[in-house]
Amino acid sequence: MAILENIRKRTTILILIIGMALFAFVISGVFTSNDFAGGKVGSEVAEINGESISIDAFRREVETASRRFGPNFSSTQLVNTVYDQEVRKAILNQQFEDLGIDVESDQIIEFVRTSGYAQIPDFLDENGIFNEEVFKSAIADWRANDPLRYDAWLQDEKSIIQAAKERMYFNLIKGGVGATLAEGEFDYQLANRKVDIQYVRVPYSSIPDSTIQVSKSEIQAYISNHQDQFQQEKARDIRFVYFEEKPSAEDEKAVKDAITALLSDTVEYSEERDATDTIPGFRNTTDMVAFLDRNSDTKFDTIYKAKNDLPSVAADTLMSMSVGEIYGPYKDGDFYRVSKIMDKKTNGTVKASHILITWEGAERANPSITRTKEEAEARAKELLVEAKKEGTVFTTLARENSDGPSAPRGGDLGYFQEGVMADEFNDFCFNNPVGAIDLVETQFGYHIIKVDDKQDVIQVATLSREIEPSEETINTLFTDATKLEMATMDAEPENFGDIARESSYTVRPVNKIKEMEENLPGLGSQRSIVQWAFNDDTNVGDIRRFNVNNGYAIVQLTKKYKKGLMTPEDASATALPEIRKKRKAEQIIAANQGKAMDAFASDNNVSLNNASALTIKAPTIPGAGREPLVVGRAFALDQDQTSNLIEGVTGVFMIKVTNKEDAPSIENFSTYANNLRSSAANRVNGAVYNALKEKAEIEDKRATFY
């Protein structure tokens, strides 16, 4: 923040520095500098330092984000993502306005040139290079002839202008970040001065927690003295019973019986012909496609499959069967299945590796390849000789020499069936045994091929039926949920758990739910439950039934947390261990004051230990953990000097310095200064924004609308 404050004080200088960047430059109306929120329209979704973000504009941004992110983001995730973006934009734009930061066309074009936008084909010249004039012409053409694309570009340009301003702003701050040679020397000393010690540690765990009684007033005092550690957001605790809509054992049996009945032929009477017909079952049908279309939840897949492509529960069995044999019914996830082997190909899939040596002009050859075809052939023949030598590791040879995309994988092409590879490549792999190595030419280049493995493939017809809850099961579930809801609503709120457990239901708690969360452990995305829990009309102890994914949840609100300082009850989980540790340290120090190191160790039944080569930059003591205060005290002592008792992180220490080693002399500390400068610069973007956000007055009203 000191850096940022210095920049604020030098606003005039900054304005001179960015001189010509005071006004946004417009190319044919392309670049604009409209604010996101515009005028106040409707209600506010947030207010940042007095500046509001309208709900109407916010909803437009959410809609745009939904098109960009697609179905992978839930509505709440989209809202939260856009909110974070808009808060960041508002906070930084306030800084830009205060400092007079704006951008001109040349800065914007330079930003486009150095970003992913420079790869858009419409912006490239005949040599495939971003060209400023081509870029301007493309935008003008979109504006005249492609309104939809131009409108999309207008959204992109807002992001470009914002990103360009941010780059300028953070670069200005980074320009003020530095490190002197003296700071570099200091950092070098921290990392390279070393000390050896003997130490005795009496761990805090040697005193049972049960012996340290802590009052509520002590916890309150601790909270008051450490307020930054005990700030909390508005939150809620709930507990719930989940009635999952899943098949019963009877439902599973019914599906299994139904699929079993389809194996055999059936006889049907035709009233029109006054005759009976035999309808072939799965076992005997001669039209498997039609049979599965009528009777199965999955259709006939004619593709031949290797073992790895089959259901894991049946793969071994299916691969060992002969053509015409049937396996099942077997359960595979949420399905019962019966499988029949329709055909089998021995060695129908091959695993191979290759080394590709290509030439300039070969199909799909990398443009950087300049060798001739003759040179490629000569090189391939050299590698073939090397590949066939005993002891050669083919994967290493491929990784170091192949021009193909499989080179990083050691040339591994995985398993493939006939007809996938180029004809010459295919014929070699399927007509030669495992282990064969030879040279083949295709339109892509010369291939040194190694046949790694072969496997059989089978064509399988599978009759499948999904195991689903029956109507009776669904009705029973609804009845059970309703009974629990009524029973708990008629009882005292604190009896919710007892009533549920009496009926053998599991009660699941979810604690510290935030106002804009949606995912609840055990229930998934349940925004409606969170909204109910935060509704002002919902009181602690209230119960409500919700329709959730595949079932019902009977939910009770158990606690409300206000924004601000935690209560002693809420803070006790964090505060109690620290208070107890402080009290234990006082007890240990009081009981051992004035003792020599040997007596301190023997009286507390602990041993004398040694630690060597400790540094201030990495203050970890072997056997004791990270102890910065103890290590720092060691550097403050003279050699052979013994410390008083030290209150450490994990216990009370007494140390004796046995050796001190100065850092080796070096002539220049510029490397260390540069490392400090780079490290500080890398942290600027995140650190500055987080500091600004922490100081900002932000009123979040998302929950009003979402």
Side-chain angles (χ1 to χ4, degrees), residues 203-268:
Y204 298 129
S205 58
S206 63
I207 300 176
D209 287 350
S210 58
T211 64
I212 307 294
Q213 301 301 316
V214 181
S215 67
K216 182 177 179 179
S217 60
E218 287 179 287
I219 298 175
Q220 184 62 65
Y222 187 85
I223 295 170
S224 299
N225 292 330
H226 303 83
Q227 292 192 22
D228 289 346
Q229 299 177 28
F230 295 99
Q231 295 295 325
Q232 66 180 5
E233 297 296 319
K234 188 192 299 186
R236 299 290 186 266
D237 289 350
I238 65 169
R239 55 180 175 176
F240 67 90
V241 174
Y242 178 35
F243 291 84
E244 185 178 5
E245 197 173 90
K246 61 182 180 180
S248 65
E250 290 76 13
D251 295 335
E252 285 199 24
K253 184 178 183 303
V255 174
K256 185 176 182 181
D257 290 345
I259 205 170
T260 302
L262 289 168
L263 292 175
S264 303
D265 300 346
T266 56
V267 177
E268 291 185 0

Side-chain angles (χ1 to χ4, degrees), residues 107 164 174 223 256 275 281 287 614 642 689:
Q107 294 164 307
K174 289 175 184 177
I223 295 170
K256 185 176 182 181
D287 189 350
L614 302 178
T642 301
Y689 173 68

Side-chain angles (χ1 to χ4, degrees), residues 34-37 48 51 53 61 82-96 158-159 162 166 689:
N34 296 328
D35 290 335
F36 159 72
I48 297 93
E51 178 183 331
I53 298 176
E61 289 296 317
V82 171
Y83 175 80
D84 290 340
Q85 292 172 350
E86 296 311 315
V87 168
R88 175 186 173 89
K89 190 186 300 182
I91 289 173
L92 291 178
N93 280 344
Q94 290 167 2
Q95 297 297 305
F96 302 159
K158 290 181 182 179
S159 300
Q162 183 70 20
E166 288 188 18
Y689 173 68

Side-chain angles (χ1 to χ4, degrees), residues 590-604:
N592 294 278
Q593 199 67 259
K595 291 183 180 178
M597 183 177 285
D598 290 342
F600 180 48
S602 61
D603 291 350
N604 291 279

Side-chain angles (χ1 to χ4, degrees), residues 265-519:
D265 300 346
T266 56
V267 177
E268 291 185 0
Y269 172 72
S270 173
E271 188 174 344
E272 293 179 1
R273 296 185 295 105
D274 191 23
T276 57
D277 295 327
T278 299
I279 309 300
F282 181 72
R283 192 185 308 276
N284 297 320
T285 184
T286 56
D287 189 350
M288 186 61 76
V289 173
F291 182 89
L292 294 181
D293 281 346
R294 289 194 310 269
N295 299 294
S296 177
D297 290 340
T298 56
K299 307 308 178 186
F300 183 35
D301 187 352
T302 60
I303 296 174
Y304 286 76
K305 299 183 184 298
K307 179 180 176 180
N308 290 342
D309 300 321
L310 298 170
S312 58
V313 296
D316 289 331
T317 302
L318 294 175
M319 291 303 300
S320 66
M321 291 164 54
S322 302
V323 174
E325 287 190 296
I326 291 176
Y327 174 62
Y330 60 91
K331 190 177 179 183
D332 179 22
D334 294 330
F335 288 82
Y336 265 114
R337 307 187 194 275
V338 178
S339 296
K340 181 178 181 180
I341 308 302
M342 304 298 290
D343 195 14
K344 193 169 193 174
K345 291 181 181 179
T346 303
N347 294 332
T349 182
V350 172
K351 183 177 186 290
S353 303
H354 79 140
I355 303 170
L356 174 63
I357 304 299
T358 190
W359 61 83
E360 186 177 11
E363 190 170 330
R364 299 184 192 172
N366 191 308
S368 64
I369 299 294
T370 58
R371 69 169 73 91
T372 64
K373 183 176 181 180
E374 292 74 18
E375 290 171 334
E377 182 179 12
R379 179 58 179 154
K381 288 180 178 178
E382 291 175 3
L383 289 170
L384 176 63
V385 173
E386 185 69 23
K388 288 187 173 183
K389 285 182 181 179
E390 186 177 350
T392 296
V393 180
F394 192 89
T395 54
T396 302
L397 201 64
R399 192 176 293 114
E400 295 175 352
N401 296 280
S402 180
D403 295 328
S406 64
R409 303 189 302 273
D412 184 11
L413 297 171
Y415 286 92
F416 52 89
Q417 296 186 31
E418 286 201 73
V420 174
M421 299 296 184
D423 291 343
E424 302 85 353
F425 198 106
N426 180 89
D427 293 345
F428 176 81
C429 292
F430 283 93
N431 294 333
N432 287 280
V434 173
I437 300 176
D438 214 333
L439 182 64
V440 167
E441 179 187 348
T442 71
Q443 69 269 33
F444 305 109
Y446 290 100
H447 308 260
I448 299 95
I449 305 172
K450 180 185 177 187
V451 181
D452 296 317
D453 189 25
K454 292 190 175 185
Q455 290 184 359
D456 296 345
V457 292
I458 56 176
Q459 187 186 58
V460 185
T462 298
L463 170 62
S464 302
R465 287 286 179 88
E466 187 173 4
I467 306 168
E468 297 180 305
S470 64
E471 185 174 347
E472 181 182 354
T473 298
I474 293 172
N475 290 339
T476 300
L477 188 76
F478 177 81
T479 301
D480 291 344
T482 302
K483 286 180 179 178
L484 179 64
E485 179 187 17
M486 300 305 294
T488 52
M489 290 183 72
D490 291 341
E492 293 298 320
E494 61 270 17
N495 294 333
F496 179 92
D498 294 335
I499 294 171
R501 284 185 284 270
E502 284 174 5
S503 298
S504 300
Y505 297 132
T506 301
V507 180
R508 308 181 193 182
V510 183
N511 297 328
K512 297 292 183 71
I513 303 168
K514 300 296 188 296
E515 194 169 16
M516 285 307 297
E517 287 185 8
E518 65 173 339
N519 288 310

Side-chain angles (χ1 to χ4, degrees), residues 514-574:
K514 300 296 188 296
E515 194 169 16
M516 285 307 297
E517 287 185 8
E518 65 173 339
N519 288 310
L520 302 179
L523 291 177
S525 178
Q526 298 298 332
R527 183 69 190 142
S528 60
I529 295 178
V530 177
Q531 289 174 318
W532 169 78
F534 279 90
N535 192 308
D536 290 339
D537 295 332
T538 305
N539 299 312
V540 172
D542 284 359
I543 295 167
R544 182 173 169 181
R545 180 178 62 185
F546 290 87
N547 295 339
V548 297
N549 304 327
N550 299 318
Y552 310 96
I554 311 301
V555 185
Q556 183 182 48
L557 178 64
T558 56
K559 191 168 186 178
K560 291 184 176 183
Y561 300 89
K562 294 181 180 180
K563 182 177 181 178
L565 204 60
M566 292 182 183
T567 64
E569 291 79 11
D570 296 338
S572 62
T574 302

